[in-house]
Amino acid sequence: MTPETSFVLLPDTDAAREASRLVCARPGVQVVAHASGRPWLVGRWPAGRVRVVAAGQVRVAVAGFCPATGQALGAAAGRLRSLTDLDAVARALAGSAHLLASVGGRVRAQGTASGVRALFHARLAGVTIAADRPDALTRLTGAEVDDEALALRLLVPWAAYPLTGRPVWRGVRHVPPGCWLRMDEDGAAHTIRWWHPPEPTVPLAEGAGAVREALTTAVHARVRDAEKVVSTDLSGGMDSGTVTHLAASVTPGLVTIRTPQLDTGGDDAAWAARITGRLPDAEHLVPAYEQAPTMFAGLDDADGMVLASEPPYWVRAGARLVDVAERVAARGSCLHLCGHGGDEVFHTGAIALHTLVRRRPHSGVRAMREARSLAHWPLGPTVRGLADSRSFPTWLTRLGTQLHHPPPAPFLPSLGWTSPLRMPDWAAPEAVATAARLLRQAARERPRPLGPGRAAHTAVETIQRGGAMVRYAAGLMAAHGVDFAAPYLDDQVIEAALAVRLHERATPRRYKPLLAQAMRGLVPDDLLGRSTKGNYGEDTFDGLRRHRATLLDLFHGSQLARRGLIDEAAVRATLRADHAFYQPLQALEPTLACEVWLRSLDRTREPADEGAP
């Protein structure tokens, strides 16, 4: 079985002697040294997963998938004179990898702009250390669970930036995606932003070519690098179907898998069958609904579905994800490609209108009229949402005053900096007060949005949310020896897509026009013209009916209730009720994720698993 990559970084200073002793004491770790000879990069990783090059006093490492040759990395290392010189290297690298450097006694470490590769840091024995996983740090520092961070995790649909990535461990900090961590000789650390979304000025025709090159490279380079069988998700949708066709064009031994679905009114199954019929050389796994886990399955012990790092992003469908990993691993797959990230990168949503009416009023008003006619938005709320010009900090302050308001109407367009935030009805007053206070504190710090205007900010926040979900899924898949990859979330793909003019990729009557144009000739036209999308609402209601007793048991003696964060009787009432719509169940998922994670801690923290450094 291929172990998961996990590492800890140490600063280049004598002050880190005790921290180095603690980090290097774990049996079986690999150690890469600074030019000074002090330990720098410590952990466990499969052969070839971490590559290190040296040029004089400079050390550069990439951890993850990066198709750049050793010669190219060595040349880049030879050109470095300071840590900021690495900005150009970061922007040029394809793939999805951590980029690490040791230059003149200082360390630079970063993940990806999408957050698929993330970085965390904490203090140990008087210096800052960093790691790719928060639990790698907690094992060293003895950090306890942060109840304030858990209160934020109860928010529906999720905590807004800049609170999104707050770790659930006291004393552990997250390096925001698009930023790098500087570790100085005195043991201190600073966070510096290196990536911003590009200004959307590129015409569609030109941008489609860049997307085509970036996405084909993201898929083809991974497939060619794989040593064994490659597998892909194949729901029948445009995103997974595109990845499957790209992968099939360079590997004869492709395995596809379609998660069973109850969506009787949808056409995913028909599209998936159409695609499999065009790929006769691939092996296609199509398990029957009753032969695979349903939604909410396996949560009595959540075995293999929860990581020690944080509450799961896949709590409702965690058993299905593990089932996919087991099935493709049994076919010999070492690399599984998914379509996650396609929506986040290529679907603009209603928020694009808020920016369009300001930058291109004529195009914006026309797009608004088309969107209203398709979605039946009421005129008054739509116009008021488009006219709203509150700043991002002001918006955060407002969010904190509305946490116990009724959920927003589902037929209204979302035109704010973020989705409206709500605490669930069962949240304890102390938890609601904590979330409101943290939102106010964040607003007082006057954070800059992630991009200029609401469309750019929302696009980046959505992409980074998708990156966190893929990162979590990759950790679950790694336990089965399968590398889980999301080509749409490679930084090069994101950069190419977001550079295209907004009015050309935000067209209400065309679904993902940029992706369709980019893949023309590589993917069948009918799939690129598909405008429908399946949903898993029926699966969710069926899973609740089947596993209601297990879910109710989780909220008898709830860990969250013991911490004073929820009223477990109110949760049980929601679980017992019949629901005509999905919204109450959506509100349940963050709470369920936190509860399952807290219950798993005793099993995952002691003893340490093999993947932790």
Side-chain angles (χ1 to χ4, degrees), residues 70-86:
Q71 182 178 5
L73 292 174
R79 291 191 295 268
L80 294 185
R81 297 296 178 266
S82 69
L83 294 179
T84 55
D85 292 342
L86 211 64

Side-chain angles (χ1 to χ4, degrees), residues 444-524:
R444 283 197 295 268
E445 294 174 5
R446 310 296 297 176
R448 293 183 177 181
L450 292 167
R454 296 186 184 185
H457 171 86
T458 302
V460 175
E461 184 177 32
T462 303
I463 286 167
Q464 292 176 356
R465 172 73 179 181
M469 295 178 68
V470 166
R471 182 174 73 245
Y472 205 97
L476 298 179
M477 285 268 194
H480 301 273
V482 179
D483 185 12
F484 185 73
Y488 290 114
L489 292 176
D490 281 9
D491 287 357
Q492 295 283 318
V493 177
I494 295 167
E495 185 88 13
L498 297 187
V500 173
R501 295 188 298 206
L502 184 59
H503 71 281
E504 292 189 88
R505 53 187 170 93
T507 52
R509 295 189 181 276
R510 291 185 63 198
Y511 186 61
K512 300 181 182 177
L514 174 57
L515 180 60
Q517 182 72 17
M519 292 293 103
R520 196 75 64 196
L522 299 177
V523 176

Side-chain angles (χ1 to χ4, degrees), residues 258-266 269 288-290 294-295 320 535-543 545-546:
R258 181 175 188 273
T259 301
Q261 187 181 11
L262 279 182
D263 184 18
T264 53
Y289 185 81
E290 294 295 339
T294 58
M295 295 292 193
R320 287 185 166 186
N535 79 55
Y536 291 86
E538 290 183 54
D539 299 58
T540 299
F541 287 120
D542 179 66
R545 286 190 294 269
R546 291 172 182 248

Side-chain angles (χ1 to χ4, degrees), residues 45-51 62 64:
W45 49 82
R49 191 60 60 88
V50 175
R51 292 187 291 158
V62 289

Side-chain angles (χ1 to χ4, degrees), residues 74-228:
R79 291 191 295 268
L80 294 185
R81 297 296 178 266
S82 69
L83 294 179
T84 55
D85 292 342
L86 211 64
D87 283 3
V89 178
R91 291 190 178 93
L93 288 181
S96 176
H98 288 91
L99 182 59
L100 318 169
S102 173
V103 182
R106 289 183 171 181
V107 173
R108 172 170 173 161
Q110 66 190 63
T112 54
S114 68
V116 171
R117 308 286 177 176
L119 201 68
F120 305 85
H121 61 100
R123 299 286 289 181
L124 177 66
V127 298
T128 296
I129 63 171
D132 62 335
R133 289 164 35 178
D135 52 308
L137 297 173
T138 64
R139 287 186 172 93
L140 293 163
T141 65
E144 296 295 330
V145 174
D146 183 349
D147 285 349
E148 288 194 348
L150 280 181
L152 288 173
R153 293 287 178 127
L154 300 179
L155 282 165
V156 181
W158 49 73
Y161 171 84
L163 300 174
T164 315
R166 176 168 171 166
V168 289
W169 301 97
R170 295 176 188 165
V172 177
R173 302 289 180 263
H174 179 223
V175 178
C179 295
W180 59 276
L181 183 71
R182 189 184 78 202
M183 303 166 67
D184 294 334
E185 295 169 281
D186 61 1
H190 306 274
T191 298
I192 301 161
R193 181 161 293 280
W194 68 272
W195 184 84
H196 298 273
E199 188 66 24
T201 58
V202 178
L204 178 67
E206 178 183 343
V211 169
R212 183 187 185 95
E213 180 179 356
L215 186 55
T216 54
T217 296
V219 175
H220 291 173
R222 282 181 169 88
V223 172
R224 289 170 177 145
D225 186 65
E227 297 176 354
K228 300 179 183 178

